[in-house]
Amino acid sequence: MSCEIEQDLTAFLDGELPELRAKQVEAHLPGCPSCAGTLSLIRRTVLQLAALPELSPSLALRRKVMARLDEPSGLTERLRALFRPAVLMPALGMAAAASVAVVLSVGPESRLDPEQMYVAMNMEMLEDFEVVGLEPEDVEVVTHLHELEALP
Amino acid sequence: MEVDEDAELMLRVAAGDKSAFAALFDRYQASICRFAYRFVGDQARAEELAQEIFVKLYRSAKSYRPSAKLKTFLFRVASNHCLNEVRRGEYRMPHVEPHTEEQEGADGQAQHASGPDQALEGKELERAVGEALSKMSERERAAFTMCRFEGMAYRDIAFALSASEAAVKSLIHRATLAVARRIEELQAGLCPARSQA
Ligand SMILES: [Zn+2]
């Protein structure tokens, strides 16, 4: 229904097309009312977006962020902060280390119980998640895995 | 020059300088809040996301290389964070309540009085954009926001989204058209006379 030029119209308007392609689009426009119409619609819209109301972040945000900077961050740091000196099970490697750290960050006082061992054994699940850093919520997912597994 | 200044600040952050981090925060908080807001459509949630994004930026200072612009690096952190949150079901776009024809008509009466050629403004425009954003894919939404509200180049958006420039080009095109059509629809609702012409 529409020509293949159509898909390049936004990039054309944004000045993001290679020179040669931009020239082709330019040459095409006078003979194609459909593309010319779409281009002017896009142009109008982009201009209109400038009229959107501005947001103002709350003043509390800065304070909250600055206050969180000293929280233990990486897994090793969290571990170090909780276990000093750290006593790890080397055979389980990073997965175990990670689960211990995360479990302890949820409840630092607790010892490893069967549920936490379960977490340790299911760490690969977390590693499959494309998470940059593990968070307490990640652990919740894993600690409730057995509920999922109970399903047929 | 701003880019070098950013890189320098970030190097100081990596060395543990919190005042350097505060300077970066001040420089980019509006951008990140806006990005997060456009992403989730709710200001309180957007601030939570922004908070987490900045904490992640702080923690990743050591992995920053001045070869990438800091803003691009920051938006990569922000995009990853927002996309992950959505994937985990933490956040949903709330305002998908495409308003009904009756409402449009009623609103339209009031608006129409101020002139038939009037374009959508303020709250109406906000609603149109919010509705369109809530219906598109997360990647379209992220690409659109970086392009239209941050003025980022396609190449930088591609880096932020770990996508090809060709992919970004089509994400932005589809998203821009979706927003354009939603604005048009609402505008037609406000100015019925014009839509028939
Ligand atoms: Zn055409």
Side-chain angles (χ1 to χ4, degrees):
Chain A
M1 134 212 154
S2 56
C3 43
E4 51 102 34
I5 292 282
E6 197 261 9
Q7 66 199 17
D8 278 352
L9 292 174
T10 302
F12 174 73
L13 191 70
D14 287 336
E16 289 276 1
L17 289 182
E19 206 179 322
L20 182 66
R21 184 61 173 166
K23 289 219 164 85
Q24 289 171 345
V25 173
E26 236 167 278
H28 172 80
L29 288 169
C32 181
S34 163
C35 283
T38 304
L39 183 66
S40 87
L41 171 68
I42 295 168
R43 182 180 284 125
R44 243 184 356 259
T45 303
V46 170
L47 289 174
Q48 221 172 342
L49 290 175
L52 279 172
E54 257 304 326
L55 304 161
S56 32
S58 76
L59 293 173
L61 182 61
R62 188 182 211 269
R63 184 174 43 73
K64 285 184 192 158
V65 169
M66 296 308 288
R68 285 184 60 183
L69 300 185
D70 287 325
E71 283 177 5
S73 57
L75 294 169
T76 35
E77 266 177 68
R78 270 193 251 170
L79 257 188
R80 219 172 284 140
L82 296 164
F83 265 140
R84 212 180 297 236
V87 182
L88 295 177
M89 298 156 281
L92 292 181
M94 249 333 265
S99 64
V100 171
V102 177
V103 166
L104 289 180
S105 76
V106 174
E109 302 325 314
S110 60
R111 306 288 308 257
L112 278 184
D113 61 24
E115 182 167 59
Q116 288 162 343
M117 284 311 291
Y118 186 86
V119 174
M121 287 157 59
N122 284 285
M123 274 313 286
E124 321 80 71
M125 284 289 298
L126 289 189
E127 286 158 357
D128 287 341
F129 269 68
E130 290 175 49
V131 283
V132 186
L134 290 167
E135 326 249 7
E137 305 92 274
D138 297 316
V139 150
E140 274 176 44
V141 173
V142 178
T143 43
H144 291 96
L145 268 179
H146 59 282
E147 290 169 18
L148 289 177
E149 281 173 7
L151 298 172
Chain B
M1 197 185 158
E2 204 172 84
V3 171
D4 292 340
E5 221 178 276
D6 278 354
E8 175 144 2
L9 284 169
M10 200 57 173
L11 293 176
R12 283 169 49 196
V13 174
D17 181 343
K18 285 183 188 151
S19 69
F21 180 76
L24 286 175
F25 174 87
D26 290 342
R27 189 169 289 172
Y28 291 109
Q29 70 154 332
S31 289
I32 290 301
C33 286
R34 190 160 47 220
F35 176 77
Y37 175 70
R38 293 295 165 207
F39 203 85
V40 293
D42 176 275
Q43 195 158 4
R45 286 162 158 192
E47 286 208 5
E48 283 168 28
L49 285 171
Q51 203 185 120
E52 290 153 9
I53 290 164
F54 276 107
V55 172
K56 279 193 172 156
L57 176 71
Y58 181 77
R59 289 181 186 164
S60 56
K62 288 200 170 78
S63 67
Y64 171 70
R65 296 289 168 269
S67 53
K69 271 183 275 182
L70 180 78
K71 183 172 180 178
T72 311
F73 180 80
L74 173 58
F75 272 89
R76 186 175 168 115
V77 172
S79 302
N80 278 337
H81 188 71
C82 290
L83 290 165
N84 277 334
E85 290 300 293
V86 167
R87 209 171 297 155
R88 295 200 298 202
E90 293 282 312
Y91 293 97
R92 291 255 151 73
M93 285 293 280
H95 52 183
V96 202
E97 279 179 32
H99 70 310
T100 61
E101 296 307 316
E102 297 77 61
Q103 278 174 314
E104 274 173 33
D107 289 348
Q109 294 305 322
Q111 292 280 326
H112 199 191
S114 49
D117 268 339
Q118 196 190 0
L120 289 190
E121 272 175 6
K123 283 188 174 167
E124 288 297 324
L125 181 62
E126 180 67 46
R127 169 157 53 189
V129 173
E131 282 175 8
L133 288 177
S134 71
K135 282 182 201 152
M136 62 183 68
S137 75
E138 281 82 31
R139 290 168 72 78
E140 284 170 348
R141 203 185 300 151
F144 176 86
T145 304
M146 286 186 266
C147 173
R148 302 267 90 94
F149 300 122
E150 297 305 320
M152 288 168 66
Y154 287 16
R155 183 203 302 198
D156 294 339
I157 296 171
F159 176 81
L161 291 176
S162 309
S164 68
E165 276 185 60
V168 165
K169 186 184 76 170
S170 77
L171 289 173
I172 292 174
H173 180 60
R174 285 200 302 268
T176 306
L177 271 186
V179 170
R181 302 231 152 96
R182 189 66 192 131
I183 291 176
E184 269 211 325
E185 275 168 33
L186 287 190
Q187 217 150 256
L190 294 182
C191 309
R194 202 170 51 157
S195 67
Q196 280 160 17

